[in-house]
Amino acid sequence: MAANEAELKELMVAGLNGDAAAHRSLLDQLSRRLRAYYKTKLERIGRRATEAEDLVQEALLAIHVQRHTYDRTEPLTPWVYAIARYKLIDHLRTTRVQPLETAIEDAEELMAQDDQVGAESAYDLQRLLSGLPQKMREAIQCMKIDGLSVAEAASRCRMSESAVKVNVYRGLKRLAAAIAREKLKDENR
């Protein structure tokens, strides 16, 4: 039986408080959800579902390593799926499909789907980022969107590396809160 948001959050908080069994249970529950998430995403773009297992392990490792950044006052699953999405994007960037690997009859469907989703996502992202202070916006753009390292982002933004890290952390926290507010508004409509 799949755990719901409240159960997953309870396991996460218990794990953060030092309960190793709860943390193992959380990772087990999340591995099932992430496996299904990755298989669906990969199959939709014509990739092998076998790539999902590597992504699950990478995401679980990132969740484990970054668990201290989780805000206990926020829902857990959006935080988890944000990590999963970034791992998928990183994976797709490093394992680009060569044109010969995609059947020509699938190309039109893939391109049309990607254009619409990409355009909507870009619009939503820019709208959300526009609500942040400039330094936060620039740091997030450099590190999370352009994929620069902390040192590269610091150089481009003319900030110290620690300032970049702080701006990214605080900016992402603000973005998560803005998304949660919008989701709540949508649910109340």
Side-chain angles (χ1 to χ4, degrees):
M1 184 167 114
N4 65 27
E5 169 67 28
E7 292 167 338
L8 291 172
K9 185 174 181 176
E10 185 177 310
L11 289 171
M12 178 65 154
V13 171
L16 289 171
N17 290 335
D19 184 340
H23 186 64
R24 278 190 304 277
S25 179
L26 171 71
L27 294 178
D28 182 53
Q29 291 286 334
L30 291 178
S31 69
R32 291 185 214 136
R33 288 176 173 232
L34 291 171
R35 193 168 289 109
Y37 169 81
Y38 285 130
K39 283 183 178 181
T40 300
K41 295 287 187 186
L42 291 167
E43 288 173 353
R44 187 178 299 154
I45 60 171
R47 301 291 292 263
R48 295 181 314 273
T50 55
E51 295 175 69
E53 199 56 42
D54 289 338
L55 285 165
V56 169
Q57 296 307 315
E58 285 184 36
L60 290 175
L61 180 60
I63 289 164
H64 173 74
V65 169
Q66 295 299 318
R67 67 188 183 271
H68 69 278
T69 67
Y70 171 66
D71 181 350
R72 298 170 189 231
T73 64
E74 298 293 328
L76 176 67
T77 51
W79 181 81
V80 166
Y81 283 113
I83 291 172
R85 188 172 53 255
Y86 285 124
K87 290 298 176 186
L88 178 61
I89 290 167
D90 288 345
H91 175 75
L92 294 175
R93 280 185 188 146
T94 59
T95 60
R96 294 184 190 260
V97 175
Q98 297 300 318
L100 296 176
E101 293 181 39
T102 303
I104 193 71
E105 57 271 7
D106 296 335
E108 184 178 322
E109 179 185 332
L110 288 173
M111 294 303 289
Q113 182 181 15
D114 285 349
D115 287 345
Q116 178 186 6
V117 171
E120 289 173 2
S121 296
Y123 172 77
D124 288 341
L125 180 61
Q126 290 307 316
R127 184 177 52 78
L128 286 167
L129 287 173
S130 69
L132 295 177
Q134 182 178 351
K135 288 185 183 262
M136 284 181 188
R137 192 170 51 244
E138 288 175 352
I140 290 172
Q141 176 72 41
C142 288
M143 285 192 59
K144 299 301 183 182
I145 299 171
D146 297 341
L148 300 179
S149 69
V150 175
E152 292 167 330
S155 176
R156 185 184 288 177
C157 296
R158 295 186 199 108
M159 293 182 221
S160 69
E161 290 183 20
S162 60
V164 168
K165 290 178 189 177
V166 167
N167 277 299
V168 168
Y169 174 77
R170 290 179 180 168
L172 291 177
K173 195 168 180 176
R174 282 192 185 186
L175 288 176
I179 291 168
R181 283 192 302 273
E182 285 188 13
K183 185 177 178 183
L184 187 60
K185 284 181 192 175
D186 289 344
E187 289 173 357
N188 290 332
R189 287 184 191 169

